[in-house]
Amino acid sequence: LTVKNVKLSGAAGASRTFQVADGSLSDVTLDGVTFEGDNTQSVAVYGNAFNGNVTLTNITAANYTDGNWGIVYVATNSGLEDVDFTGSTIQASAGMVEFNGNEPTSGENITSVTIQDNTFENITEDSDQDANAALSVQDAENTSISGNTFINNFNHIFFSNVIGESTQSVVSRNDFNRATYTDSLLSSSIQNAVDAASSGNTVNVEPGTYDEDVEVPDGLTLSGPNAGISGDSDSRVQEATITGELKIDENSTIDGFE
């Protein structure tokens, strides 16, 4: 199936604009498709039974604000080979873009996932709070995420059972207006990353201004861009600044902030 250079709106069912019906669909290409949502729609692209290769190129999706977790959902019940998501813009919507191998059901991961040169902007949490981040990748091998731009999202990226990338490698190969991360979550909010962490974990914070209150619980380390560098040293790099109230448990650690 190939769909190119069209504008789609309205709902094919269950508040979804483009929906793959029950059963499997192999080798799907959507190229140059614009999805225009509204406050009655939640999903631009939905399919939980894709097979073979899925290519989503130069997609635009905006204003999917009725969200109950998904903006774009590509999953499989029997195995996906290659997923390519490039040159697309997802903005002003609620929920997440998710690529999910459903390994417990399908018995295998997505073989290869490439997510490159996309923009994720102003993605908010869905009303049911089921979405993990603007971009979610689960049960995937040979994963490459590079050249993307993430701006003002509630969370940027969530990982689960992903081979080929880590939150740290993704930070270095993509652009973020703010970025703070654990092993599985990369967020624009320090508190969101803290809430996702467990005692003994480190939450890393990239340079930027964080206009929020932050409470660091017992056993957690909050590590800024100047961790280990004295506050009066000339060798300090660009700062991470918390403008709100900062509360720190007596058994937690904060290092490298302004």
Side-chain angles (χ1 to χ4, degrees), residues 22-126:
D22 292 341
S24 62
L25 186 62
S26 298
D27 300 332
V28 176
T29 296
L30 302 181
D31 183 8
V33 179
T34 295
F35 295 91
E36 185 62 36
D38 58 34
N39 61 8
T40 67
Q41 297 172 51
S42 58
V43 184
V45 178
Y46 178 90
N48 60 4
F50 286 106
N51 294 306
N53 304 318
V54 174
T55 300
L56 306 178
T57 306
N58 301 318
I59 300 297
T60 299
N63 303 317
Y64 283 84
T65 56
D66 186 47
N68 60 351
W69 61 262
I71 305 166
V72 174
Y73 181 65
V74 174
T76 182
N77 57 15
S78 58
L80 267 169
E81 294 179 10
D82 297 316
V83 172
D84 188 1
F85 184 60
T86 59
S88 298
T89 298
I90 310 297
Q91 61 186 359
S93 296
M96 63 184 171
V97 174
E98 181 172 2
F99 301 102
N100 194 331
N102 280 331
E103 190 273 335
T105 301
S106 68
E108 56 185 285
N109 298 329
I110 302 174
T111 303
S112 175
V113 179
T114 300
I115 300 168
Q116 185 174 358
D117 298 334
N118 305 288
T119 297
F120 301 81
E121 184 173 6
N122 294 326
I123 306 302
T124 60
E125 191 170 28
D126 61 298

Side-chain angles (χ1 to χ4, degrees), residues 128-241:
D128 293 336
Q129 299 183 328
D130 290 329
N132 298 307
L135 172 64
S136 175
V137 183
Q138 301 186 51
D139 299 334
E141 303 175 8
N142 301 309
T143 303
S144 176
I145 302 174
S146 66
N148 302 285
T149 300
F150 295 82
I151 303 171
N152 294 335
N153 304 305
F154 74 105
N155 290 321
H156 295 309
I157 302 174
F158 173 78
F159 284 151
S160 178
N161 190 26
V162 170
I163 300 171
E165 290 282 15
S166 65
T167 49
Q168 186 172 10
S169 68
V170 166
V171 165
S172 68
R173 303 201 309 136
N174 298 268
D175 293 326
F176 303 87
N177 67 320
R178 294 181 304 279
T180 175
Y181 59 97
T182 64
D183 288 341
S184 62
L185 180 69
L186 202 158
S187 181
S188 63
S189 162
I190 295 174
Q191 191 62 58
N192 284 2
V194 165
D195 291 344
S198 301
S199 180
N201 289 168
T202 295
V203 174
N204 298 282
V205 181
E206 293 294 295
T209 300
Y210 296 83
D211 295 322
E212 59 179 312
D213 296 334
V214 177
E215 185 170 355
V216 184
D218 181 65
L220 208 65
T221 296
L222 200 62
S223 180
N226 287 296
I229 303 174
S230 174
D232 61 358
S233 173
D234 292 335
S235 63
R236 289 177 73 88
V237 297
Q238 185 180 354
E239 300 282 359
T241 303

